[in-house]
Amino acid sequence: MSEARPLLINAGGGMSTASVSFVRPLVFSLIAALGPLAFGYSLGFTSPLQTVLEKEPAGDGFLTKSQNTFFGSQINIGAMIGAFLGGPILEILGRRRGIALACLPFAGGYLAIFWAKSVAVLYLGRILTGVGVGLVSLGVPVYIAEISPSEYRGGLGTINQLAVTVGVLLVYAIGLALDASKSTSHWHPLALIAAIIAGALFVLTFFIPATPRWLLSKGRRSEAERAVRSIQGPLADCENELRSIEQAIEESQKIGKASLSELFQGAAAKAMVIAFGLMLVQQFSGINVVIFFSGKIFSQAGFTNANLPALVVSIVQVIVTGISCLIIDKAGRRALLLMATIGMTASCIVLGYYFYLLDHNQDPEGVIALVSVVLYIACFSLGLGAIPWLIMSEVFPMRVRGVAASLATLFNWTCSFIVTETFQSTIDAFTEAGTFWFYAAVCAGGALFVMAYVPETKGRTLEEIERYLGGDRSVMGNSQSSGQDLVKVSALLAMGFIGIVVLVNST
């Protein structure tokens, strides 16, 4: 792979194909991705510990089942706190220092869990790790977006979600290894490994550059020039890149100092609708319920290993998210989102039909539900897992990016908390079949939302995206129609899948 390519300047003032290093931003993105790796590790942390924490003494007693459930859910509370604090932190300290700061609650929380002698300390540690999750889920996507060349920003930005899935798989794999070793203190090595990951990220943040856009917004031009050369390489046209960013900053400064009311006006308001809408669809698409029922579905399909569903789901997520990284800058964000929501709609319809047949004392083929779960997870990983975070980091104007992304992240974690706390009552109210059909409707609505409101941002600089949302339609060209053939094929395959399942079970 060559590190640089010949220089061409696009009409928007940014570099489309240039003697810009790909390897350097890739390395910096991979270092920053240790944050979402710890994020994913934290999401999966309680899964290998479900029985262990209920059996082992934690100082003054045992964790009851309800305490164990509460321990797991506290990551959402901490993440909401981290997301709320993250906006001001990113604006004041910058993206790089914000990521470094996130390492402190991560490491502190896991060390508290490691040394916990009481239930209260376990709870405190879990909340602290959640704060770290909230900070990196905001800071890392913004950091990667601001250092990435426009033609590679999709693939590099998707590394964020790939690292999350790798983190989940890592903690599951370590948990299985500890099970095999008959260890009786699972949480100690698991917590220590997480603290080491956070410590490594903290040290490595001293070796990655701050983002030029943040430096220029603070008037630190000489530092911004050094950052551009560090990111793009010595042959890049740094002056042109700096002028393009400065022009956008100067135009925003003419408006005056940014205020919260600006979030609901112009380009920022459109970006808020896009980001909040995608976050809503991501969390209410049913991902948590599908994963929850995967164990039951695998069991009904004849698999007896209790750890197999989580492992299969994690492997599928890693593989398909990796594929998304490779194709997103060619296929486009809109196409992958539409393919994902269409496939997830079909999967939820089939899962609802499967549970409907069970409720009516019929005996549907377990493999149908198994295929639907794997298809659902694959589609989620292809589109809704990574792309909402990527688009969030792209669409907000520079002058409000930190605060706006903070609110979008806070909204995401609030939705996650609501879904986690209410999905059992939803099942009780609508039955399992009705719940999956509800999520099918959400996914179908998500596809319509993407078609109506989400612009195609591939290959465009952040400044061009801002101009587009501000009303300049000329900067996007014909990119809005890209990927239509893939979407049509996906829709036909989804309808065919539903039709085959209904036909097979009606004969």
Side-chain angles (χ1 to χ4, degrees):
M1 180 187 297
S2 61
E3 184 171 332
R5 300 197 298 168
L7 177 66
L8 291 172
I9 306 299
N10 64 29
M15 298 183 197
S16 57
T17 38
S19 51
V20 172
S21 171
F22 170 70
V23 174
R24 291 172 183 236
L26 173 62
V27 171
F28 297 145
S29 297
L30 289 173
I31 290 173
L34 286 175
L37 180 76
F39 167 1
Y41 192 99
S42 300
L43 290 181
F45 181 75
T46 56
S47 182
L49 303 179
Q50 286 181 357
T51 56
V52 176
L53 286 173
E54 290 176 24
K55 292 178 181 177
E56 286 197 28
D60 57 356
F62 293 83
L63 279 184
T64 64
K65 192 173 187 64
S66 62
Q67 286 175 327
N68 199 3
T69 301
F70 185 60
F71 173 72
S73 68
Q74 284 176 318
I75 193 171
N76 288 310
I77 299 172
M80 286 189 282
I81 296 171
F84 179 76
L85 298 175
I89 289 172
L90 290 191
E91 292 299 334
I92 297 169
L93 298 181
R95 287 53 164 146
R96 178 175 65 91
R97 289 178 180 170
I99 294 171
L101 184 64
C103 298
L104 301 182
F106 259 132
Y110 277 113
L111 289 176
I113 293 172
F114 179 80
W115 279 304
K117 300 298 182 183
S118 69
V119 174
V121 175
L122 280 175
Y123 287 170
L124 174 63
R126 186 65 170 166
I127 290 175
L128 285 174
T129 60
V131 172
V133 165
L135 288 171
V136 299
S137 63
L138 165 63
V140 173
V142 173
Y143 177 82
I144 293 176
E146 292 191 355
I147 68 166
S148 298
S150 58
E151 65 269 32
Y152 302 126
R153 192 176 58 245
L156 293 176
T158 312
I159 288 174
N160 175 71
Q161 182 65 18
L162 178 61
V164 173
T165 62
V166 171
V168 174
L169 180 59
L170 177 64
V171 75
Y172 285 166
I174 295 172
L176 286 173
L178 291 172
D179 277 340
S181 68
K182 307 299 182 182
S183 170
T184 58
S185 298
H186 281 34
W187 85 68
H188 296 112
L190 284 173
L192 186 59
I193 290 169
I196 291 171
I197 294 171
L201 175 59
F202 180 80
V203 172
L204 288 171
T205 56
F206 291 94
F207 298 93
I208 62 177
T211 68
R213 287 175 173 82
W214 180 79
L215 291 169
L216 285 173
S217 72
K218 302 301 179 183
R220 295 155 63 174
R221 196 180 198 280
S222 60
E223 293 178 61
E225 183 175 351
R226 289 196 296 272
V228 171
R229 293 196 183 280
S230 175
I231 295 165
Q232 298 186 352
L235 300 179
D237 186 354
C238 298
E239 191 58 35
N240 182 76
E241 180 79 358
L242 292 170
R243 282 200 305 268
S244 175
I245 299 170
E246 284 177 323
Q247 181 181 359
I249 292 174
E250 288 170 3
E251 289 176 359
S252 70
Q253 288 176 341
K254 291 177 184 178
I255 305 172
K257 188 175 180 180
S259 63
L260 286 176
S261 62
E262 188 176 333
L263 294 173
F264 308 100
Q265 302 170 9
K270 293 177 183 177
M272 292 283 280
V273 171
I274 294 166
F276 275 60
L278 289 177
M279 295 301 188
L280 181 71
V281 175
Q282 183 194 65
Q283 291 299 334
F284 281 89
S285 63
I287 181 64
N288 293 326
V289 176
V290 171
I291 291 175
F292 177 81
F293 277 103
S294 62
K296 179 178 180 180
I297 290 168
F298 272 67
S299 175
Q300 291 173 340
F303 296 93
T304 56
N305 189 327
N307 294 313
L308 185 63
L311 194 61
V312 170
V313 165
S314 296
I315 292 172
V316 171
Q317 285 183 311
V318 170
I319 292 173
V320 179
T321 305
I323 293 171
S324 179
C325 283
L326 297 175
I327 68 174
I328 189 170
D329 284 312
K330 294 187 180 296
R333 282 71 155 154
R334 276 169 57 91
L336 293 187
L337 282 171
L338 288 170
M339 290 169 64
T341 49
I342 290 169
M344 291 163 65
T345 300
S347 299
C348 286
I349 289 172
V350 171
L351 286 169
Y353 181 61
Y354 174 81
F355 282 104
Y356 173 83
L357 294 177
L358 287 178
D359 290 343
H360 289 76
N361 300 316
Q362 299 187 45
D363 188 23
E365 291 290 336
V367 69
I368 292 173
L370 185 63
V371 170
S372 297
V373 167
V374 174
L375 176 63
Y376 178 96
I377 296 297
C379 290
F380 180 86
S381 302
L382 183 69
L384 274 182
I387 297 177
W389 296 107
L390 171 63
I391 290 182
M392 177 201 76
S393 69
E394 294 178 322
V395 294
F396 290 120
M398 174 68 195
R399 57 192 278 113
V400 295
R401 186 169 295 145
V403 173
S406 172
L407 292 175
T409 305
L410 174 61
F411 179 72
N412 181 282
W413 284 107
T414 302
C415 290
S416 175
F417 179 78
I418 292 171
V419 170
T420 301
E421 294 300 315
T422 62
F423 84 88
Q424 188 58 57
S425 59
T426 303
I427 292 168
D428 294 340
F430 298 107
T431 74
E432 294 164 345
T435 299
F436 279 110
W437 286 333
F438 167 75
Y439 290 131
V442 172
C443 293
L448 295 175
F449 175 81
V450 171
M451 292 173 64
Y453 293 104
V454 179
E456 180 53 70
T457 58
K458 72 172 183 177
R460 302 300 174 185
T461 67
L462 299 180
E463 289 69 38
E464 287 175 329
I465 296 169
E466 181 176 344
R467 286 167 52 197
Y468 174 81
L469 293 176
D472 184 358
R473 294 294 186 263
S474 64
V475 298
M476 291 299 196
N478 296 322
S479 62
Q480 301 303 87
S481 60
S482 64
Q484 288 185 350
D485 291 340
L486 288 173
V487 174
K488 291 175 183 177
V489 171
S490 300
L492 289 173
L493 290 174
M495 288 187 289
F497 176 58
I498 296 170
I500 290 171
V501 169
V502 173
L503 182 64
V504 167
N505 283 276
S506 61
T507 57

PDB file of all heavy atoms in Angstrom, residues 248-261:
ATOM      1  N   ALA A 248     -13.649  28.646   6.697  1.00  0.00           N
ATOM      2  CA  ALA A 248     -14.886  28.219   7.366  1.00  0.00           C
ATOM      3  C   ALA A 248     -14.993  28.842   8.755  1.00  0.00           C
ATOM      4  O   ALA A 248     -16.079  29.256   9.179  1.00  0.00           O
ATOM      5  CB  ALA A 248     -14.923  26.703   7.462  1.00  0.00           C
ATOM      6  N   ILE A 249     -13.866  28.928   9.470  1.00  0.00           N
ATOM      7  CA  ILE A 249     -13.877  29.510  10.813  1.00  0.00           C
ATOM      8  C   ILE A 249     -14.191  31.000  10.745  1.00  0.00           C
ATOM      9  O   ILE A 249     -14.979  31.531  11.550  1.00  0.00           O
ATOM     10  CB  ILE A 249     -12.527  29.269  11.511  1.00  0.00           C
ATOM     11  CG1 ILE A 249     -12.353  27.771  11.798  1.00  0.00           C
ATOM     12  CG2 ILE A 249     -12.429  30.069  12.809  1.00  0.00           C
ATOM     13  CD1 ILE A 249     -10.990  27.406  12.350  1.00  0.00           C
ATOM     14  N   GLU A 250     -13.589  31.701   9.768  1.00  0.00           N
ATOM     15  CA  GLU A 250     -13.837  33.139   9.622  1.00  0.00           C
ATOM     16  C   GLU A 250     -15.300  33.418   9.303  1.00  0.00           C
ATOM     17  O   GLU A 250     -15.893  34.371   9.825  1.00  0.00           O
ATOM     18  CB  GLU A 250     -12.932  33.706   8.524  1.00  0.00           C
ATOM     19  CG  GLU A 250     -11.461  33.788   8.931  1.00  0.00           C
ATOM     20  CD  GLU A 250     -10.562  34.112   7.747  1.00  0.00           C
ATOM     21  OE1 GLU A 250     -11.116  34.329   6.636  1.00  0.00           O
ATOM     22  OE2 GLU A 250      -9.340  34.133   7.926  1.00  0.00           O
ATOM     23  N   GLU A 251     -15.882  32.596   8.447  1.00  0.00           N
ATOM     24  CA  GLU A 251     -17.295  32.790   8.112  1.00  0.00           C
ATOM     25  C   GLU A 251     -18.186  32.598   9.331  1.00  0.00           C
ATOM     26  O   GLU A 251     -19.157  33.327   9.532  1.00  0.00           O
ATOM     27  CB  GLU A 251     -17.699  31.814   7.002  1.00  0.00           C
ATOM     28  CG  GLU A 251     -17.092  32.151   5.648  1.00  0.00           C
ATOM     29  CD  GLU A 251     -17.418  31.118   4.586  1.00  0.00           C
ATOM     30  OE1 GLU A 251     -18.113  30.137   4.927  1.00  0.00           O
ATOM     31  OE2 GLU A 251     -16.991  31.284   3.433  1.00  0.00           O
ATOM     32  N   SER A 252     -17.833  31.617  10.174  1.00  0.00           N
ATOM     33  CA  SER A 252     -18.635  31.375  11.372  1.00  0.00           C
ATOM     34  C   SER A 252     -18.447  32.486  12.394  1.00  0.00           C
ATOM     35  O   SER A 252     -19.380  32.832  13.125  1.00  0.00           O
ATOM     36  CB  SER A 252     -18.274  30.022  11.989  1.00  0.00           C
ATOM     37  OG  SER A 252     -16.991  30.048  12.560  1.00  0.00           O
ATOM     38  N   GLN A 253     -17.247  33.069  12.446  1.00  0.00           N
ATOM     39  CA  GLN A 253     -16.977  34.130  13.406  1.00  0.00           C
ATOM     40  C   GLN A 253     -17.727  35.412  13.065  1.00  0.00           C
ATOM     41  O   GLN A 253     -17.997  36.233  13.942  1.00  0.00           O
ATOM     42  CB  GLN A 253     -15.475  34.394  13.492  1.00  0.00           C
ATOM     43  CG  GLN A 253     -14.707  33.296  14.203  1.00  0.00           C
ATOM     44  CD  GLN A 253     -13.208  33.506  14.194  1.00  0.00           C
ATOM     45  OE1 GLN A 253     -12.682  34.273  13.376  1.00  0.00           O
ATOM     46  NE2 GLN A 253     -12.511  32.824  15.093  1.00  0.00           N
ATOM     47  N   LYS A 254     -18.060  35.593  11.787  1.00  0.00           N
ATOM     48  CA  LYS A 254     -18.826  36.768  11.390  1.00  0.00           C
ATOM     49  C   LYS A 254     -20.214  36.752  12.019  1.00  0.00           C
ATOM     50  O   LYS A 254     -20.830  37.799  12.226  1.00  0.00           O
ATOM     51  CB  LYS A 254     -18.956  36.817   9.866  1.00  0.00           C
ATOM     52  CG  LYS A 254     -17.639  37.096   9.144  1.00  0.00           C
ATOM     53  CD  LYS A 254     -17.840  37.043   7.633  1.00  0.00           C
ATOM     54  CE  LYS A 254     -16.518  37.232   6.894  1.00  0.00           C
ATOM     55  NZ  LYS A 254     -16.690  37.124   5.419  1.00  0.00           N
ATOM     56  N   ILE A 255     -20.693  35.551  12.308  1.00  0.00           N
ATOM     57  CA  ILE A 255     -22.028  35.419  12.914  1.00  0.00           C
ATOM     58  C   ILE A 255     -22.006  35.857  14.369  1.00  0.00           C
ATOM     59  O   ILE A 255     -23.011  36.290  14.930  1.00  0.00           O
ATOM     60  CB  ILE A 255     -22.518  33.955  12.803  1.00  0.00           C
ATOM     61  CG1 ILE A 255     -22.476  33.513  11.347  1.00  0.00           C
ATOM     62  CG2 ILE A 255     -23.908  33.792  13.384  1.00  0.00           C
ATOM     63  CD1 ILE A 255     -22.766  32.032  11.156  1.00  0.00           C
ATOM     64  N   GLY A 256     -20.825  35.780  14.988  1.00  0.00           N
ATOM     65  CA  GLY A 256     -20.698  36.091  16.402  1.00  0.00           C
ATOM     66  C   GLY A 256     -20.400  34.859  17.222  1.00  0.00           C
ATOM     67  O   GLY A 256     -20.203  33.760  16.682  1.00  0.00           O
ATOM     68  N   LYS A 257     -20.366  35.005  18.527  1.00  0.00           N
ATOM     69  CA  LYS A 257     -20.055  33.895  19.422  1.00  0.00           C
ATOM     70  C   LYS A 257     -21.162  32.848  19.392  1.00  0.00           C
ATOM     71  O   LYS A 257     -22.343  33.171  19.369  1.00  0.00           O
ATOM     72  CB  LYS A 257     -19.879  34.424  20.855  1.00  0.00           C
ATOM     73  CG  LYS A 257     -19.363  33.382  21.826  1.00  0.00           C
ATOM     74  CD  LYS A 257     -19.106  34.006  23.191  1.00  0.00           C
ATOM     75  CE  LYS A 257     -18.596  32.949  24.172  1.00  0.00           C
ATOM     76  NZ  LYS A 257     -18.338  33.519  25.516  1.00  0.00           N
ATOM     77  N   ALA A 258     -20.737  31.584  19.386  1.00  0.00           N
ATOM     78  CA  ALA A 258     -21.717  30.488  19.339  1.00  0.00           C
ATOM     79  C   ALA A 258     -22.557  30.471  20.608  1.00  0.00           C
ATOM     80  O   ALA A 258     -22.062  30.758  21.703  1.00  0.00           O
ATOM     81  CB  ALA A 258     -20.994  29.157  19.170  1.00  0.00           C
ATOM     82  N   SER A 259     -23.832  30.135  20.463  1.00  0.00           N
ATOM     83  CA  SER A 259     -24.736  30.044  21.608  1.00  0.00           C
ATOM     84  C   SER A 259     -25.579  28.778  21.456  1.00  0.00           C
ATOM     85  O   SER A 259     -25.663  28.183  20.382  1.00  0.00           O
ATOM     86  CB  SER A 259     -25.648  31.266  21.679  1.00  0.00           C
ATOM     87  OG  SER A 259     -26.469  31.329  20.532  1.00  0.00           O
ATOM     88  N   LEU A 260     -26.212  28.373  22.553  1.00  0.00           N
ATOM     89  CA  LEU A 260     -27.042  27.178  22.515  1.00  0.00           C
ATOM     90  C   LEU A 260     -28.208  27.331  21.544  1.00  0.00           C
ATOM     91  O   LEU A 260     -28.634  26.355  20.916  1.00  0.00           O
ATOM     92  CB  LEU A 260     -27.576  26.867  23.918  1.00  0.00           C
ATOM     93  CG  LEU A 260     -26.574  26.283  24.917  1.00  0.00           C
ATOM     94  CD1 LEU A 260     -27.221  26.110  26.278  1.00  0.00           C
ATOM     95  CD2 LEU A 260     -26.032  24.947  24.409  1.00  0.00           C
ATOM     96  N   SER A 261     -28.714  28.551  21.390  1.00  0.00           N
ATOM     97  CA  SER A 261     -29.843  28.756  20.475  1.00  0.00           C
ATOM     98  C   SER A 261     -29.454  28.449  19.032  1.00  0.00           C
ATOM     99  O   SER A 261     -30.301  28.095  18.208  1.00  0.00           O
ATOM    100  CB  SER A 261     -30.345  30.203  20.578  1.00  0.00           C
ATOM    101  OG  SER A 261     -29.325  31.114  20.185  1.00  0.00           O
TER     102      SER A 261
END
